[in-house]
Amino acid sequence: MQDMIEIRWHGRGGQGAKTASLLLADAAFNTGKYIQGFPEYGPERMGAPITAYNRISDKPITIHSNIYEPDYVVVVDDTLLESVPVTAGLKKSGAIVINTTKSADYLKKVLKGYEGGIYTIDARKVSMETLGKYFPNTPMLAAIVKVSKIMTDEDFIKDMQGSFKHKFAKKPEVIEGNMKAIEMALNEVNKIQ
């Protein structure tokens, strides 16, 4: 891992991009990393575009700003591809992870020649099969861990079990579905050639 990995999340209010960025920060922290996980707030409302960020490092992080040149971008809602400049500043050595079922040709066109890695996952399918409802944040969290290799799949699964037990202490019935979503999503990420 390089000194610091920076991730920018694009989603819509209510889809859990902020929650996923905070869960990723917690998981990385639990593996001994220095972390930041924070949203960018404006006049957000349910369905409005939102942005969240992560910094993960082996060394203390002294930067305190938004992320303008991320190593990775996560797009939780593919309708944002045509309205938000999701690849702005995205490093060619990095990658973009998109929740979509759209074709490779469409993605290459809408990403305007982005030359880094392009990965997709059908977070709707994963979510519906494992949770019975559409919650894209859990599959997208697993997808970015898989693509960025911030931690091993095994460490991630183990950490998420502990996180979900704490987060869902009053709703333990949702833990199993979320764990299944993570395990399925780790195997559902596809790279566009």
Side-chain angles (χ1 to χ4, degrees), residues 11-17 41-50 77 80 134-136:
R12 292 191 180 277
Q15 291 178 326
Y41 282 112
E44 278 79 15
R45 62 194 179 285
M46 193 70 91
I50 66 110
D77 187 320
L80 295 171
Y134 183 46
F135 295 111

Side-chain angles (χ1 to χ4, degrees), residues 27 33 63-64 113 150 174:
K33 306 284 186 213
I63 303 167
H64 299 284
I150 291 168
V174 303

Side-chain angles (χ1 to χ4, degrees), residues 37-180:
F38 56 99
E40 179 179 350
Y41 282 112
E44 278 79 15
R45 62 194 179 285
M46 193 70 91
I50 66 110
T51 310
Y53 304 93
N54 286 109
R55 285 191 179 93
I56 300 167
S57 178
D58 291 325
K59 298 175 182 169
I61 300 169
T62 58
I63 303 167
H64 299 284
S65 67
N66 289 348
I67 294 172
Y68 301 103
E69 294 183 351
D71 299 288
Y72 299 97
V73 165
V74 181
V75 180
V76 181
D77 187 320
D78 66 2
T79 64
L80 295 171
L81 294 172
E82 294 189 27
S83 60
V84 173
V86 295
T87 58
L90 180 56
K91 295 175 182 166
K92 289 179 187 174
S93 59
I96 186 167
V97 182
I98 308 166
N99 171 18
T100 192
T101 57
K102 298 225 173 17
S103 72
D105 289 340
Y106 168 82
L107 293 174
K108 288 177 183 175
K109 179 180 155 217
V110 78
L111 294 176
K112 299 177 174 76
Y114 173 64
E115 296 174 20
I118 302 171
Y119 294 83
T120 64
I121 182 170
D122 184 351
R124 178 177 295 279
K125 179 184 113 178
V126 172
S127 181
M128 294 304 289
E129 285 184 24
T130 59
L131 298 165
K133 291 183 179 175
Y134 183 46
F135 295 111
N137 61 335
T138 300
M140 295 309 291
L141 173 60
I144 190 59
V145 168
K146 184 72 166 188
V147 171
S148 66
K149 297 177 177 51
I150 291 168
M151 63 189 77
T152 66
D153 292 358
E154 296 77 26
D155 284 345
F156 177 58
I157 289 169
K158 183 179 172 191
D159 188 80
M160 286 294 97
Q161 282 177 314
S163 283
F164 287 155
K165 279 181 185 165
H166 176 73
K167 181 174 174 54
F168 299 123
K170 291 188 164 56
K171 296 191 288 183
E173 67 278 5
V174 303
I175 295 171
E176 184 181 350
N178 275 281
M179 289 310 301
K180 285 182 179 174

